[in-house]
Amino acid sequence: MTESLKKHIRQYIEIPDEKLERYCSAFKVKKLKKKDFLLKEGDICEAEGFVVNGCFKVFRTDKNADEQILYFGVEDWWVSDIDSFINQIPSQLNIQALEDSEILLISKKDKDRFYREIHEIESLMRLKFQMSIIALQRRIIDNLSKPSDERYQDFLKEYPQIAHRLTNIQIAAYLGVTPEFISRIRRKIVSRD
């Protein structure tokens, strides 16, 4: 089960086999059915997860019960509420499986220990955090400066491995538009082809 995690790690850093084995052995496998929650708003995020297979949405629900999706997590992606995980405070987010999924989880205690004991792991996570910040920064800039139809087209180009697995409602909640808008833009794209 940890083979995909090992492969993922080796894409970013060089690490001796013994250290990699020790790190990966701290992860616990969790299987979730479609619609199961990994984390619910108000709970403390006790673990960070590496998606082995399946698809997750990380979201919050506003006062009108509308979902606002921050991001999706699929194979070889990490999912967590980083604020809750690091600060051990109640989460403002939910993490829910959109498909039957398997995820590898590591606790905060274990993660902190490996930061101290294996400098390669700290380097890996620094790189992953930097990549996450860059992606979030780009998303904020796009949301502030690009029209909705262009953001939709960018989403399709950037995440082709995810888009076909999602409903119009889920994509709309990610882009901050209505599902009807997504239907209209999809029809427009099909009529051009």
Side-chain angles (χ1 to χ4, degrees):
M1 183 64 73
T2 61
E3 289 310 309
S4 59
L5 176 60
K6 291 174 187 173
K7 182 179 175 186
H8 175 79
I9 290 169
R10 288 194 187 280
Q11 290 176 347
Y12 296 96
I13 60 167
E14 291 185 24
I15 183 170
D17 290 343
E18 176 270 322
K19 289 181 178 181
L20 184 59
E21 284 296 329
R22 207 169 52 160
Y23 177 63
C24 290
S25 71
F27 284 78
K28 307 292 183 245
V29 177
K30 183 169 181 101
K31 296 181 180 190
L32 295 102
K33 295 285 185 197
K34 182 178 180 176
K35 297 189 180 183
D36 285 351
F37 282 85
L38 180 64
L39 177 70
K40 287 188 176 181
E41 183 178 347
D43 293 345
I44 293 176
C45 185
E46 302 288 347
E48 197 170 55
F50 177 78
V51 181
V52 176
N53 62 59
C55 183
F56 291 86
K57 64 179 175 180
V58 179
F59 69 101
R60 66 179 295 274
T61 305
D62 68 16
K63 63 184 178 199
N64 298 322
D66 292 324
E67 288 183 6
Q68 299 164 334
I69 298 176
L70 272 67
Y71 66 95
F72 299 99
V74 294
E75 294 81 7
D76 296 334
W77 287 33
W78 295 85
V79 293
S80 177
D81 175 344
I82 200 66
D83 185 18
S84 177
F85 181 71
I86 289 174
N87 296 310
Q88 292 294 281
I89 58 174
S91 179
Q92 296 182 50
L93 301 174
N94 300 285
I95 302 175
Q96 186 180 31
L98 296 176
E99 305 169 350
D100 290 350
S101 302
E102 291 179 311
I103 190 165
L104 294 170
L105 298 172
I106 188 165
S107 70
K108 181 173 182 354
K109 179 181 171 186
D110 283 338
K111 188 129 191 207
D112 288 344
R113 178 171 54 90
F114 284 113
Y115 280 164
R116 290 187 305 273
E117 293 176 5
I118 303 175
H119 78 274
E120 293 93 344
I121 297 304
E122 188 172 42
S123 295
L124 169 71
M125 288 301 129
R126 180 181 47 79
L127 287 171
K128 297 305 290 178
F129 277 131
Q130 288 172 342
M131 292 169 68
S132 295
I133 295 298
I134 289 166
L136 287 172
Q137 179 179 307
R138 288 178 181 168
R139 178 151 184 233
I140 290 168
I141 290 168
D142 287 353
N143 283 349
L144 294 172
S145 64
K146 289 184 177 179
S148 301
D149 57 340
E150 191 175 337
R151 291 196 331 262
Y152 175 72
Q153 293 283 359
D154 289 348
F155 176 77
L156 295 179
K157 287 179 200 161
E158 186 73 25
Y159 304 110
Q161 77 280 26
I162 299 174
H164 71 280
R165 297 162 79 171
L166 304 173
T167 66
N168 285 359
I169 293 170
Q170 292 161 344
I171 294 172
Y174 175 80
L175 294 175
V177 298
T178 65
E180 294 77 20
F181 172 82
I182 299 295
S183 294
R184 264 194 323 275
I185 194 76
R186 280 184 169 175
R187 281 193 303 273
K188 197 175 179 182
I189 292 167
V190 168
S191 69
R192 275 191 260 155
D193 292 342

